[in-house]
């Protein structure tokens, strides 16, 4: 298994361009199943999660080559356990398959490292649209004679449920209203893509999304092209990378407005940031001050940037606190960070981070995607060479991480084994 060697402390300089968003790409790839024609993507990120989702589309009969997906002839409505268990986002094929073909059989995703992550909100929303849903032998079996638009009030603004229900509603008869919908920028990107396919989706980015259903017969099959939005979480990671090493970097290729709360938090800690519409420049900021942060659905502080911020908090002046409200077990980076000299206590969903830790390199192990990013950042600030193991977690969500960090002057090597 490959690992990363990072020799710290590093001094960043230069410019990095983030890739397109993983979390926008996955639902958009799922939405290609709604369309009886070819979809072309100009910038799919080079990530194992994307390759993997493409395998699922192929297993259903879609033709996928060189950034295109053609789901005009689908042969199977079943996503197998062997595929789904590798990536929870696979459950996003349920909504589009059910909507277009009136049937779908998708393996029930299990829990994952960061929490149990049920899909009850996805399923009860589809039932509201008229689907019959059964769980049989570990599979979600969904079918319907037809779906009929309805008002669905989500008990929690789940990102995946909002996306799955937007797609399920695409061919439902009449109007569907999703209330208390998630407002993440990735949902807006999905709505923009669905609009290009010919669907009527309004209100994405607010908590009320309205979809006017179409019939399969009215769809065209003209090739559609889409460019996916930049990855705000990747951007946040590199910005924090410059701050944790008290150095500079210019991070481009994403909408800075999508990171409003992260940038505000960093500024309140003393970060010197030059914020442009599509880029953020980190200036030398000295030692930042600790703070308190609570993760929340967008536009709140993203859970996906929590681990990276925690790595930064450990070298700040004064103590910090993070309350994790989205996932029940998202502090797995804490014991690994402790190996590098962090002093963090966890009590339930709250982590108390001691400031001004003196960081020393250590061999560490990745446990999930964003936890791994925190370890990389810590290694960049720690004295000596850290070995980061199990980096397949990083490959899921950070395209060309080692190359990009190298271009920012980080002493990093990806060692093949
Ligand atoms: C998406 C993102 C993930 C991010 C998360 C929260 C993708 C591919 N992944 O995950 O990176 O961390 O949003 O911003 O976009 N829940 C239920 N029942 C449901 C659905 C969700 O209880 O039916 C719970 C989950 O267990 C979790 C919380 O709601 O505790 C948030 O989940 P959700 O917003 O659905 O996250 P994902 O779409 O899985």
């Amino acid at each position: 298994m490959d690992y990363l060697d990072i020799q710290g402390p590093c001094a960043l300089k230069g410019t990095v361009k983030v890739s397109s968003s993983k979390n926008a790409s996955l639902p958009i790839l799922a939405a290609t199943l709604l369309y009886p024609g070819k979809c072309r993507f100009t910038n799919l990120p080079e990530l194992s999660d994307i390759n993997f989702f493409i395998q699922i589309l192929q297993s259903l009969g879609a033709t996928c080559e060189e950034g295109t997906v053609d789901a005009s002839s689908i042969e199977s409505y079943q996503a197998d356990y062997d595929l789904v268990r590798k990536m929870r986002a696979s459950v996003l094929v349920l909504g589009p398959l059910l909507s277009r073909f009136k049937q779908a059989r998708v393996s029930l995703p299990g829990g994952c490292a960061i929490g149990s992550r049920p899909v009850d909100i996805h399923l009860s929303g589809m039932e509201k649209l008229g689907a019959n849903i059964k769980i049989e032998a570990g599979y979600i079996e969904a079918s319907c004679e037809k779906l009929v638009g309805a008002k669905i009030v989500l008990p929690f603004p789940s990102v995946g449920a909002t996306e799955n229900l937007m797609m399920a509603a695409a061919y439902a008869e009449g109007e569907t209203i999703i209330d208390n919908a998630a407002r993440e920028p990735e949902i807006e990107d999905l709505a923009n893509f669905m609009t290009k396919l010919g669907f009527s989706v309004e209100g994405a980015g607010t908590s009320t999304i309205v979809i006017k259903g179409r019939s399969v017969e009215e769809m065209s099959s003209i090739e559609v092209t889409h460019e996916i939005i930049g990855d705000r979480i990747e951007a946040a990671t590199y910005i924090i990378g410059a701050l944790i090493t008290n150095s500079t970097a210019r991070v481009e290729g994403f909408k800075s407005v999508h990171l409003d709360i992260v940038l505000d938090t960093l500024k309140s800690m003393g970060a010197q940031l030059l914020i442009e519409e599509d880029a953020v420049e980190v200036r030398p900021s000295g030692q930042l001050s600790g703070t308190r942060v609570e993760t929340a659905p967008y536009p709140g502080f993203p859970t996906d940037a929590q681990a990276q911020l925690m790595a930064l908090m450990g070298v700040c002046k004064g103590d910090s606190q993070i309350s994790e409200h989205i996932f029940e077990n998202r502090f797995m980076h804490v014991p690994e960070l402790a190996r590098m000299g962090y002093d963090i206590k966890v009590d339930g969903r709250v982590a108390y981070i001691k400031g001004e830790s003196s960081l020393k390199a250590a061999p560490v192990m990745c446990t999930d995607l964003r936890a791994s990013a925190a370890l990389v950042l810590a290694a960049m600030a720690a004295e000596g060479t850290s070995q980061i193991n199990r980096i397949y977690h990083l490959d899921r969500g950070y395209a060309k991480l080692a190359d990009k960090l190298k271009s920012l002057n980080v002493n990093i090597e990806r060692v093949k084994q």
Side-chain angles (χ1 to χ4, degrees), residues 22-24 26-27 88-89 92 114-123 156-161 163 182 184 186 232 297 302-304 325-328 330 349 370:
K22 167 179 87 73
N23 286 355
L26 295 171
R88 284 185 42 85
L92 291 173
I114 60 175
S116 59
R117 296 179 88 167
V119 287
D120 53 316
I121 306 175
H122 304 230
L123 302 186
F156 175 86
S158 151
V159 175
E163 293 163 345
E184 270 70 0
E186 293 75 21
R232 64 192 166 107
T303 174
D304 285 353
H325 294 303
I326 307 294
F327 292 106
E328 69 265 26
R330 212 173 192 182
R349 289 186 171 225
R370 305 304 169 185

Short mmCIF file of all heavy atoms in Angstrom, two decimals, residues 22-24 26-27 88-89 92 114-123 156-161 163 182 184 186 232 297 302-304 325-328 330 349 370, ligand 1:
data_model
loop_
_atom_site.label_atom_id
_atom_site.label_comp_id
_atom_site.label_asym_id
_atom_site.label_seq_id
_atom_site.Cartn_x
_atom_site.Cartn_y
_atom_site.Cartn_z
N LYS A 22 -15.96 16.56 -5.57
CA LYS A 22 -16.38 15.15 -5.49
C LYS A 22 -17.87 15.07 -5.14
O LYS A 22 -18.63 14.35 -5.76
CB LYS A 22 -15.57 14.43 -4.41
CG LYS A 22 -16.12 13.08 -4.03
CD LYS A 22 -15.27 12.39 -2.98
CE LYS A 22 -15.62 12.73 -1.55
NZ LYS A 22 -16.87 12.14 -1.06
N ASN A 23 -18.25 15.88 -4.14
CA ASN A 23 -19.63 15.75 -3.65
C ASN A 23 -20.66 16.36 -4.61
O ASN A 23 -21.85 16.10 -4.46
CB ASN A 23 -19.76 16.40 -2.27
CG ASN A 23 -19.12 15.54 -1.19
OD1 ASN A 23 -18.67 14.43 -1.47
ND2 ASN A 23 -19.07 16.05 0.03
N ALA A 24 -20.19 17.15 -5.57
CA ALA A 24 -21.11 17.59 -6.63
C ALA A 24 -21.11 16.55 -7.75
O ALA A 24 -22.16 16.24 -8.34
CB ALA A 24 -20.70 18.95 -7.17
N LEU A 26 -20.70 13.28 -7.72
CA LEU A 26 -21.38 11.99 -7.50
C LEU A 26 -22.88 12.06 -7.79
O LEU A 26 -23.40 11.27 -8.58
CB LEU A 26 -21.09 11.46 -6.09
CG LEU A 26 -19.61 11.10 -5.84
CD1 LEU A 26 -19.36 10.78 -4.36
CD2 LEU A 26 -19.18 9.91 -6.70
N PRO A 27 -23.63 13.02 -7.19
CA PRO A 27 -25.06 13.09 -7.53
C PRO A 27 -25.29 13.42 -9.01
O PRO A 27 -26.26 12.96 -9.62
CB PRO A 27 -25.61 14.18 -6.62
CG PRO A 27 -24.42 14.91 -6.10
CD PRO A 27 -23.27 13.96 -6.12
N ARG A 88 -20.92 4.75 0.10
CA ARG A 88 -22.31 4.98 0.48
C ARG A 88 -23.08 5.80 -0.55
O ARG A 88 -24.28 5.63 -0.71
CB ARG A 88 -22.34 5.73 1.80
CG ARG A 88 -22.03 4.89 3.00
CD ARG A 88 -22.23 5.73 4.21
NE ARG A 88 -23.45 6.50 4.03
CZ ARG A 88 -24.67 6.07 4.32
NH1 ARG A 88 -24.84 4.90 4.83
NH2 ARG A 88 -25.71 6.84 4.09
N ALA A 89 -22.38 6.71 -1.23
CA ALA A 89 -23.07 7.59 -2.17
C ALA A 89 -23.72 6.81 -3.31
O ALA A 89 -24.54 7.34 -4.06
CB ALA A 89 -22.11 8.64 -2.72
N LEU A 92 -27.39 6.90 -4.25
CA LEU A 92 -27.96 7.97 -5.08
C LEU A 92 -28.49 7.47 -6.42
O LEU A 92 -29.16 8.22 -7.13
CB LEU A 92 -26.91 9.06 -5.33
CG LEU A 92 -26.50 9.89 -4.10
CD1 LEU A 92 -25.34 10.80 -4.43
CD2 LEU A 92 -27.70 10.70 -3.59
N ILE A 114 -17.56 6.92 10.12
CA ILE A 114 -17.92 8.14 10.85
C ILE A 114 -19.32 8.11 11.45
O ILE A 114 -19.73 9.04 12.10
CB ILE A 114 -17.73 9.41 9.98
CG1 ILE A 114 -18.60 9.37 8.73
CG2 ILE A 114 -16.28 9.61 9.64
CD1 ILE A 114 -18.54 10.66 7.92
N GLY A 115 -20.06 7.03 11.21
CA GLY A 115 -21.38 6.97 11.81
C GLY A 115 -22.26 5.93 11.14
O GLY A 115 -21.87 5.32 10.16
N SER A 116 -23.45 5.77 11.69
CA SER A 116 -24.33 4.70 11.17
C SER A 116 -24.96 5.11 9.82
O SER A 116 -25.23 4.27 8.98
CB SER A 116 -25.42 4.37 12.18
OG SER A 116 -26.17 5.52 12.43
N ARG A 117 -25.16 6.36 9.61
CA ARG A 117 -25.64 6.94 8.34
C ARG A 117 -26.79 6.17 7.70
O ARG A 117 -26.66 5.58 6.63
CB ARG A 117 -24.47 7.05 7.36
CG ARG A 117 -23.42 8.00 7.84
CD ARG A 117 -22.25 8.11 6.91
NE ARG A 117 -22.44 9.11 5.88
CZ ARG A 117 -21.45 9.55 5.10
NH1 ARG A 117 -20.26 9.07 5.23
NH2 ARG A 117 -21.69 10.45 4.18
N PRO A 118 -27.96 6.18 8.33
CA PRO A 118 -29.11 5.51 7.74
C PRO A 118 -29.64 6.25 6.51
O PRO A 118 -29.20 7.37 6.22
CB PRO A 118 -30.15 5.55 8.87
CG PRO A 118 -29.74 6.67 9.74
CD PRO A 118 -28.26 6.83 9.61
N VAL A 119 -30.58 5.61 5.78
CA VAL A 119 -31.15 6.27 4.60
C VAL A 119 -32.68 6.40 4.73
O VAL A 119 -33.39 6.48 3.75
CB VAL A 119 -30.79 5.54 3.28
CG1 VAL A 119 -29.34 5.76 2.92
CG2 VAL A 119 -31.11 4.05 3.34
N ASP A 120 -33.14 6.42 5.98
CA ASP A 120 -34.59 6.48 6.22
C ASP A 120 -35.24 7.72 5.60
O ASP A 120 -36.37 7.67 5.11
CB ASP A 120 -34.87 6.42 7.74
CG ASP A 120 -34.09 7.49 8.51
OD1 ASP A 120 -32.88 7.67 8.23
OD2 ASP A 120 -34.67 8.14 9.39
N ILE A 121 -34.53 8.84 5.59
CA ILE A 121 -35.13 10.09 5.05
C ILE A 121 -35.29 9.97 3.53
O ILE A 121 -36.30 10.40 2.96
CB ILE A 121 -34.28 11.32 5.44
CG1 ILE A 121 -34.07 11.36 6.95
CG2 ILE A 121 -34.92 12.60 4.94
CD1 ILE A 121 -33.14 12.47 7.44
N HIS A 122 -34.31 9.31 2.88
CA HIS A 122 -34.43 9.07 1.43
C HIS A 122 -35.69 8.24 1.17
O HIS A 122 -36.49 8.55 0.29
CB HIS A 122 -33.25 8.25 0.89
CG HIS A 122 -31.88 8.82 1.14
ND1 HIS A 122 -30.95 8.95 0.14
CD2 HIS A 122 -31.26 9.27 2.26
CE1 HIS A 122 -29.82 9.44 0.64
NE2 HIS A 122 -29.99 9.63 1.92
N LEU A 123 -35.82 7.14 1.95
CA LEU A 123 -36.87 6.17 1.64
C LEU A 123 -38.25 6.71 1.97
O LEU A 123 -39.20 6.53 1.18
CB LEU A 123 -36.61 4.86 2.40
CG LEU A 123 -35.25 4.19 2.10
CD1 LEU A 123 -35.17 2.83 2.79
CD2 LEU A 123 -35.00 4.04 0.61
N PHE A 156 -34.63 16.40 8.69
CA PHE A 156 -33.28 16.96 8.83
C PHE A 156 -32.81 17.27 7.41
O PHE A 156 -33.10 16.49 6.49
CB PHE A 156 -32.36 15.92 9.50
CG PHE A 156 -30.92 16.36 9.58
CD1 PHE A 156 -30.48 17.14 10.64
CD2 PHE A 156 -30.01 16.02 8.58
CE1 PHE A 156 -29.15 17.56 10.70
CE2 PHE A 156 -28.69 16.44 8.64
CZ PHE A 156 -28.26 17.21 9.71
N PRO A 157 -32.12 18.38 7.19
CA PRO A 157 -31.72 18.71 5.80
C PRO A 157 -30.57 17.82 5.30
O PRO A 157 -29.45 18.29 5.11
CB PRO A 157 -31.32 20.18 5.89
CG PRO A 157 -30.92 20.39 7.32
CD PRO A 157 -31.74 19.44 8.15
N SER A 158 -30.87 16.55 5.12
CA SER A 158 -29.85 15.60 4.64
C SER A 158 -29.47 15.93 3.20
O SER A 158 -30.34 16.12 2.34
CB SER A 158 -30.42 14.18 4.74
OG SER A 158 -29.85 13.35 3.75
N VAL A 159 -28.17 15.97 2.95
CA VAL A 159 -27.68 16.29 1.61
C VAL A 159 -28.10 15.18 0.64
O VAL A 159 -28.72 15.43 -0.41
CB VAL A 159 -26.14 16.43 1.64
CG1 VAL A 159 -25.58 16.64 0.24
CG2 VAL A 159 -25.73 17.57 2.56
N GLY A 160 -27.76 13.94 0.99
CA GLY A 160 -28.05 12.81 0.09
C GLY A 160 -29.55 12.64 -0.15
O GLY A 160 -29.98 12.38 -1.27
N ALA A 161 -30.36 12.80 0.92
CA ALA A 161 -31.81 12.61 0.75
C ALA A 161 -32.36 13.69 -0.17
O ALA A 161 -33.20 13.42 -1.05
CB ALA A 161 -32.50 12.63 2.11
N GLU A 163 -30.85 15.22 -2.57
CA GLU A 163 -30.44 14.92 -3.94
C GLU A 163 -31.25 13.74 -4.51
O GLU A 163 -31.75 13.79 -5.64
CB GLU A 163 -28.94 14.60 -3.96
CG GLU A 163 -28.10 15.83 -3.62
CD GLU A 163 -26.66 15.52 -3.22
OE1 GLU A 163 -26.33 14.36 -2.92
OE2 GLU A 163 -25.86 16.46 -3.19
N ALA A 182 -31.66 20.40 2.10
CA ALA A 182 -30.27 20.83 2.31
C ALA A 182 -29.96 21.94 1.31
O ALA A 182 -30.52 21.98 0.21
CB ALA A 182 -29.32 19.65 2.13
N GLU A 184 -26.68 22.99 0.40
CA GLU A 184 -25.27 22.95 -0.02
C GLU A 184 -25.11 23.38 -1.48
O GLU A 184 -25.98 23.10 -2.32
CB GLU A 184 -24.73 21.52 0.15
CG GLU A 184 -24.11 21.19 1.51
CD GLU A 184 -25.10 21.11 2.66
OE1 GLU A 184 -26.32 21.31 2.45
OE2 GLU A 184 -24.65 20.87 3.79
N GLU A 186 -23.44 22.04 -3.67
CA GLU A 186 -23.43 20.86 -4.54
C GLU A 186 -24.86 20.54 -5.00
O GLU A 186 -25.07 19.99 -6.08
CB GLU A 186 -22.84 19.65 -3.79
CG GLU A 186 -21.34 19.78 -3.47
CD GLU A 186 -21.00 20.75 -2.33
OE1 GLU A 186 -21.89 21.03 -1.50
OE2 GLU A 186 -19.85 21.23 -2.27
N ARG A 232 -14.97 23.02 -2.67
CA ARG A 232 -14.77 23.98 -1.58
C ARG A 232 -14.02 23.35 -0.41
O ARG A 232 -13.28 24.03 0.31
CB ARG A 232 -16.11 24.58 -1.13
CG ARG A 232 -17.07 23.57 -0.54
CD ARG A 232 -18.48 24.11 -0.38
NE ARG A 232 -19.40 23.01 -0.14
CZ ARG A 232 -19.96 22.74 1.03
NH1 ARG A 232 -19.72 23.50 2.06
NH2 ARG A 232 -20.78 21.71 1.16
N PRO A 297 -25.44 22.03 9.11
CA PRO A 297 -25.71 21.99 7.67
C PRO A 297 -25.41 23.35 7.05
O PRO A 297 -25.48 24.38 7.73
CB PRO A 297 -27.22 21.69 7.60
CG PRO A 297 -27.57 21.07 8.92
CD PRO A 297 -26.63 21.69 9.93
N PRO A 302 -18.91 23.46 7.79
CA PRO A 302 -19.03 22.10 7.25
C PRO A 302 -18.30 21.05 8.08
O PRO A 302 -17.14 21.25 8.45
CB PRO A 302 -18.35 22.22 5.87
CG PRO A 302 -17.53 23.46 5.91
CD PRO A 302 -18.11 24.37 6.96
N THR A 303 -18.99 19.97 8.36
CA THR A 303 -18.36 18.84 9.05
C THR A 303 -17.13 18.35 8.28
O THR A 303 -16.17 17.88 8.86
CB THR A 303 -19.37 17.69 9.28
OG1 THR A 303 -18.67 16.58 9.83
CG2 THR A 303 -20.05 17.25 8.00
N ASP A 304 -17.16 18.51 6.96
CA ASP A 304 -16.04 18.02 6.14
C ASP A 304 -14.77 18.86 6.28
O ASP A 304 -13.73 18.50 5.73
CB ASP A 304 -16.45 17.98 4.65
CG ASP A 304 -17.38 16.81 4.36
OD1 ASP A 304 -17.59 15.97 5.25
OD2 ASP A 304 -17.90 16.73 3.22
N HIS A 325 -22.01 18.24 15.10
CA HIS A 325 -23.46 17.99 15.17
C HIS A 325 -23.98 17.14 14.02
O HIS A 325 -25.16 16.83 14.00
CB HIS A 325 -24.22 19.33 15.16
CG HIS A 325 -23.97 20.15 16.38
ND1 HIS A 325 -24.22 19.70 17.65
CD2 HIS A 325 -23.48 21.41 16.53
CE1 HIS A 325 -23.91 20.63 18.53
NE2 HIS A 325 -23.45 21.68 17.87
N ILE A 326 -23.13 16.81 13.04
CA ILE A 326 -23.66 16.11 11.87
C ILE A 326 -23.47 14.59 11.98
O ILE A 326 -24.39 13.83 11.73
CB ILE A 326 -22.99 16.62 10.56
CG1 ILE A 326 -23.11 18.14 10.47
CG2 ILE A 326 -23.61 15.95 9.33
CD1 ILE A 326 -24.51 18.68 10.32
N PHE A 327 -22.28 14.17 12.35
CA PHE A 327 -22.00 12.73 12.47
C PHE A 327 -21.63 12.39 13.91
O PHE A 327 -20.98 13.19 14.58
CB PHE A 327 -20.88 12.30 11.51
CG PHE A 327 -21.29 12.39 10.08
CD1 PHE A 327 -20.81 13.40 9.26
CD2 PHE A 327 -22.20 11.47 9.53
CE1 PHE A 327 -21.20 13.49 7.93
CE2 PHE A 327 -22.59 11.57 8.21
CZ PHE A 327 -22.10 12.57 7.41
N GLU A 328 -22.00 11.17 14.33
CA GLU A 328 -21.81 10.85 15.75
C GLU A 328 -20.40 10.38 16.09
O GLU A 328 -20.02 10.31 17.23
CB GLU A 328 -22.86 9.82 16.21
CG GLU A 328 -22.73 8.41 15.65
CD GLU A 328 -23.60 8.19 14.41
OE1 GLU A 328 -23.91 9.18 13.72
OE2 GLU A 328 -23.95 7.02 14.15
N ARG A 330 -17.15 11.39 14.47
CA ARG A 330 -16.24 11.99 13.51
C ARG A 330 -15.00 12.60 14.17
O ARG A 330 -14.49 13.61 13.70
CB ARG A 330 -16.97 13.03 12.66
CG ARG A 330 -16.36 13.03 11.28
CD ARG A 330 -17.03 13.85 10.27
NE ARG A 330 -16.46 13.47 8.97
CZ ARG A 330 -16.80 14.03 7.85
NH1 ARG A 330 -17.69 14.98 7.81
NH2 ARG A 330 -16.23 13.64 6.72
N ARG A 349 -19.82 14.54 21.72
CA ARG A 349 -19.68 15.20 20.42
C ARG A 349 -18.83 16.47 20.49
O ARG A 349 -18.82 17.25 19.54
CB ARG A 349 -21.06 15.53 19.88
CG ARG A 349 -21.80 14.27 19.43
CD ARG A 349 -23.09 14.66 18.78
NE ARG A 349 -23.70 13.49 18.17
CZ ARG A 349 -24.23 13.47 16.97
NH1 ARG A 349 -24.22 14.54 16.22
NH2 ARG A 349 -24.79 12.39 16.49
N ARG A 370 -11.55 12.93 5.52
CA ARG A 370 -11.16 14.25 6.06
C ARG A 370 -10.22 14.11 7.24
O ARG A 370 -9.38 14.98 7.48
CB ARG A 370 -12.40 15.06 6.43
CG ARG A 370 -13.40 15.21 5.29
CD ARG A 370 -12.80 15.82 4.03
NE ARG A 370 -13.73 15.70 2.90
CZ ARG A 370 -13.46 16.04 1.66
NH1 ARG A 370 -12.28 16.52 1.33
NH2 ARG A 370 -14.37 15.88 0.71
C1 LIG B 1 -22.90 14.31 2.36
C2 LIG B 1 -21.47 14.38 1.87
C3 LIG B 1 -20.50 14.28 3.05
C4 LIG B 1 -20.84 15.31 4.11
C5 LIG B 1 -22.31 15.23 4.50
C6 LIG B 1 -22.74 16.32 5.46
C7 LIG B 1 -21.57 13.48 -0.36
C8 LIG B 1 -21.24 12.36 -1.27
N1 LIG B 1 -21.23 13.32 0.94
O1 LIG B 1 -23.07 13.02 2.93
O2 LIG B 1 -19.18 14.49 2.57
O3 LIG B 1 -20.05 15.09 5.26
O4 LIG B 1 -23.14 15.33 3.32
O5 LIG B 1 -22.47 17.57 4.93
O6 LIG B 1 -22.10 14.50 -0.77
N2 LIG B 1 -29.17 10.88 8.05
C9 LIG B 1 -30.18 10.12 8.56
N3 LIG B 1 -31.08 9.55 7.69
C10 LIG B 1 -30.99 9.73 6.33
C11 LIG B 1 -29.95 10.53 5.83
C12 LIG B 1 -29.05 11.08 6.70
O7 LIG B 1 -30.30 9.95 9.78
O8 LIG B 1 -31.84 9.18 5.60
C13 LIG B 1 -28.17 11.47 8.98
C14 LIG B 1 -26.76 10.88 8.74
O9 LIG B 1 -26.59 9.68 9.43
C15 LIG B 1 -25.87 11.98 9.26
C16 LIG B 1 -26.65 13.25 8.90
O10 LIG B 1 -28.00 12.84 8.68
O11 LIG B 1 -25.72 11.88 10.63
C17 LIG B 1 -26.12 13.97 7.68
O12 LIG B 1 -26.19 13.12 6.56
P1 LIG B 1 -26.35 13.64 5.06
O13 LIG B 1 -26.55 15.12 5.05
O14 LIG B 1 -27.36 12.78 4.41
O15 LIG B 1 -24.91 13.31 4.50
P2 LIG B 1 -24.55 12.48 3.20
O16 LIG B 1 -25.43 12.87 2.08
O17 LIG B 1 -24.43 11.04 3.56
#
